[in-house]
């Protein structure tokens, strides 16, 4: 029987490096297929924590990973796999935001050693504004694929339109699949709606009053509560919108997420940017 060799650390780092999508606000993509808007309307007027809707203008280019960090890469970088639902290309979960930041610091060093990252570049968590900008992929609709998650005849947790793009309570089996099993958004980014919620660099604020408008992280003076974006396989499809944000764990116990919390429905997606 033919067996597939386990990828080496160098191979995993190279694959990770190759899976970034360059985002150039206000410019066209290298192949000319996409014009990235310089500004976008962030938030919604439907949920208190997503108000007020405000214009954000991104001034710097960056790259964002196509996929959430898989378990084989996390293990190659950290030497351990904390995940509950094991699988080499499944998204890693069950780690804190401090551990996510430590991973980003360590993989920055490893990529530089492999000449896959410049000395003036870092790997980090996305800011909340970067995350929503990338999730929306130029859209103004509730989801990146439109305003409707359901088709006529869907009932309960069923969301046939969303099923093509994300994992949620209506289609998840209770265990993690490999990353990228669903359709990507228009910018080629997978699992932005559902699968796992994703840590971002910002701390939690109750709403957007006073939020930065330049795409930077909002952290100064904030309570030590963690912000996650995107919804997960534990969530009803209405929590998987482009604007969904939260600082809470999942039913049945709804409490604020602290900086030490871990959950099987929280992962991370990395950004590559200039220092």
């Amino acid at each position: 029987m033919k067996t597939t060799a386990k990828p080496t650390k160098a191979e995993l780092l190279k694959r990770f490096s190759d899976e970034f999508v360059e985002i150039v606000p206000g410019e066209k993509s290298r192949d000319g297929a996409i014009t990235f808007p310089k500004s976008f309307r962030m938030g919604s007027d439907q949920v208190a924590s997503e108000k007020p809707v405000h214009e954000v203008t991104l001034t710097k280019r960056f790259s964002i990973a196509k996929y959430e960090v898989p378990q084989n890469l996390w293990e190659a970088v950290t030497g351990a796999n904390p995940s509950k639902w094991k699988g080499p290309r499944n998204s890693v979960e069950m780690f804190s935001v401090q551990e996510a930041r430590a991973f980003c610091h360590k993989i920055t060093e490893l990529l530089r050693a492999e000449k896959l990252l410049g000395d003036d570049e870092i790997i980090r968590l996305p800011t909340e504004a970067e995350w929503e900008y990338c999730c929306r992929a130029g859209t103004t609709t509730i989801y990146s694929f439109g305003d409707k998650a359901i088709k006529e005849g869907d009932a309960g947790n069923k969301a046939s339109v969303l099923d093509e793009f994300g994992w949620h309570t209506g289609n998840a089996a209770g265990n993690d699949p490999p990353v990228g099993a669903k359709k990507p958004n228009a910018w080629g980014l997978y699992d932005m709606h559902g699968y796992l919620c994703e840590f971002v660099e910002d701390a939690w604020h109750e709403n957007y009053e006073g939020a930065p408008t330049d795409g930077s992280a909002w952290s100064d003076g904030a309570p030590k509560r963690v912000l996650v974006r995107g919804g997960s396989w534990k969530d009803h499809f209405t929590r998987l919108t482009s604007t969904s944000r939260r600082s809470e764990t999942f039913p049945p116990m709804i409490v604020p997420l602290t900086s030490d919390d871990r959950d099987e429905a929280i992962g991370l997606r990395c950004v590559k940017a200039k220092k």
Side-chain angles (χ1 to χ4, degrees):
M1 179 184 294
K2 184 178 180 180
T3 58
T4 302
K6 183 179 179 180
T8 65
K9 180 188 288 189
E11 289 170 338
L12 290 169
L13 291 171
K14 180 63 166 60
R15 180 172 185 177
F16 175 70
S17 178
D18 290 343
E19 289 175 346
F20 277 93
V21 174
E22 186 179 26
I23 307 295
V24 285
E27 300 179 27
K28 287 184 178 292
S29 59
R30 290 183 180 180
D31 61 6
I34 299 168
T35 299
F36 297 96
K38 190 170 185 178
S39 301
F40 77 107
R41 301 283 288 171
M42 183 172 178
S44 80
D45 58 6
Q46 302 301 309
V47 180
S49 64
E50 298 170 9
K51 299 178 181 179
V53 176
H54 57 291
E55 185 169 285
V56 175
T57 300
L58 289 90
T59 59
K60 298 178 181 178
R61 66 177 60 205
F62 60 96
S63 298
I64 191 165
K66 288 183 181 181
Y67 309 111
E68 294 166 347
V69 171
Q71 293 174 27
N72 57 3
L73 179 64
W74 180 280
E75 187 169 3
V77 171
T78 69
N81 182 2
S83 305
K84 177 177 179 179
W85 307 102
K86 295 292 195 290
R89 284 290 288 180
N90 297 5
S91 291
V92 65
E93 14 91 357
M94 294 301 296
F95 56 89
S96 68
V97 69
Q98 291 103 322
E99 290 167 324
R101 292 179 179 133
F103 169 87
C104 291
H105 178 75
K106 181 63 175 178
I107 201 168
T108 294
E109 295 178 337
L110 292 171
L111 289 170
R112 286 178 184 163
E114 294 289 327
K115 307 300 182 186
L116 296 171
L117 191 70
D119 290 340
D120 62 341
E121 295 178 302
I122 59 170
I123 303 298
R124 58 168 171 80
L125 297 178
T127 69
E128 183 178 14
E130 288 170 345
W131 190 97
E132 185 168 325
Y133 178 83
C134 290
C135 181
R136 285 184 175 279
T139 66
T140 59
T141 48
I142 294 173
Y143 302 90
S144 65
F145 49 82
D147 284 321
K148 293 185 179 293
I150 62 176
K151 293 180 180 178
E152 186 176 353
D154 286 351
N157 291 339
K158 189 170 179 57
S160 298
V161 180
L162 177 58
D163 283 354
E164 297 185 32
F165 295 89
W167 300 104
H168 56 98
T169 53
N171 66 356
N175 62 304
D176 291 352
V179 295
K182 296 293 187 178
K183 287 183 178 179
N185 68 12
W187 291 354
L189 305 176
Y190 295 79
D191 301 314
M192 297 297 289
H193 300 293
Y195 195 174
L196 300 184
C197 294
E198 298 174 11
F199 284 124
V200 292
E201 193 58 48
D202 308 50
W204 168 255
H205 292 74
E206 297 293 340
N207 56 45
Y208 287 132
E209 293 289 348
T213 58
D214 62 355
S216 59
W218 192 17
S219 299
D220 294 345
K224 292 183 179 178
R225 289 173 58 181
V226 178
L227 173 62
V228 294
R229 294 295 307 255
S232 80
W233 62 271
K234 286 186 176 182
D235 290 311
H236 190 267
F237 66 83
T238 54
R239 298 298 298 271
L240 272 61
T241 66
S242 295
T243 56
S244 179
R245 62 195 300 268
R246 61 212 276 178
S247 176
E248 59 189 38
T249 51
F250 304 89
M253 184 174 68
I254 305 297
V255 296
L257 272 172
T258 70
S259 57
D260 293 322
D261 281 343
R262 299 161 176 81
D263 195 282
E264 61 189 304
I266 303 177
L268 81 154
R269 184 185 306 267
C270 294
V271 156
K272 176 172 65 175
K274 297 292 185 180
K275 290 182 181 178

